[in-house]
Amino acid sequence: MTRFTLRDMMERGESDEDLDQVRLMTLRASKRLEFPYVFLVGIEEGLLPHQSNIDENNIEEERHLAYVGITRAQKELTFTFCRKRRQYGELVRPEPSRFLLELLQDDVIWETERKVVSAEERMKIG
């Protein structure tokens, strides 16, 4: 059985039991924290930077938040973005965030090919 618990950061105590877990948090909440592995999810134009800040030509704070997220990783950092999504019932194809393109590309590995996994392989994995 898998159990998920959403706890406020203030009610969570640090113990050895807490070390082997996934933590979900906002970029703002991650300031001054570090983790061995960090996943930044939804790094797309319109999400990071947010569309309202793109429209107002005010993305410096969002660039700073992206930097905060990037610098939280001690060993490995993974970015994710959708190839397509439904938004308000319409299929859209989001673009990767401009912040990904601003990174030193020698340090970025782009995974563009999606491996086809058979039903048997999926059963073994999970």
Side-chain angles (χ1 to χ4, degrees):
M1 181 170 114
T2 302
R3 190 178 107 191
F4 292 97
T5 304
L6 181 60
R7 295 185 290 171
D8 184 277
M9 291 191 61
M10 301 307 285
E11 67 185 52
R12 176 184 96 224
E14 295 296 326
S15 70
D16 290 341
E17 185 178 301
D18 291 336
L19 296 178
D20 189 23
Q21 63 180 301
V22 173
R23 296 181 188 190
L24 303 176
M25 64 180 62
T26 65
L27 289 170
R28 291 183 195 282
S30 71
K31 286 184 180 180
R32 294 181 294 283
L33 299 174
E34 289 185 326
F35 303 95
Y37 302 94
V38 172
F39 291 80
L40 295 179
V41 179
I43 308 302
E44 307 166 7
E45 286 294 300
L47 296 179
L48 187 68
H50 192 269
Q51 189 62 48
S52 62
N53 285 321
I54 293 171
D55 294 343
E56 296 171 8
N57 199 23
N58 181 22
I59 61 167
E60 288 309 311
E61 182 178 346
E62 303 251 332
R63 180 176 281 112
H64 175 72
L65 285 173
Y67 176 80
V68 165
I70 289 167
T71 58
R72 301 308 90 196
Q74 296 170 322
K75 293 182 180 180
E76 189 172 313
L77 173 64
T78 301
F79 298 102
T80 70
F81 56 89
C82 292
R83 290 183 188 185
K84 58 185 175 181
R85 75 167 70 236
R86 287 212 179 271
Q87 188 172 13
Y88 306 113
E90 185 178 323
L91 186 65
V92 294
R93 297 186 184 278
E95 292 292 319
S97 172
R98 66 187 73 196
F99 302 143
L100 291 176
L101 303 175
E102 293 173 358
L103 296 173
L104 183 60
Q105 294 301 299
D106 291 343
D107 295 334
V108 178
I109 300 169
W110 291 85
E111 293 185 10
T112 56
E113 295 298 317
R114 183 174 180 180
K115 181 183 174 192
V116 177
V117 180
S118 71
E120 184 179 296
E121 289 174 314
R122 282 195 302 272
M123 290 301 289
K124 285 180 186 177
I125 294 171

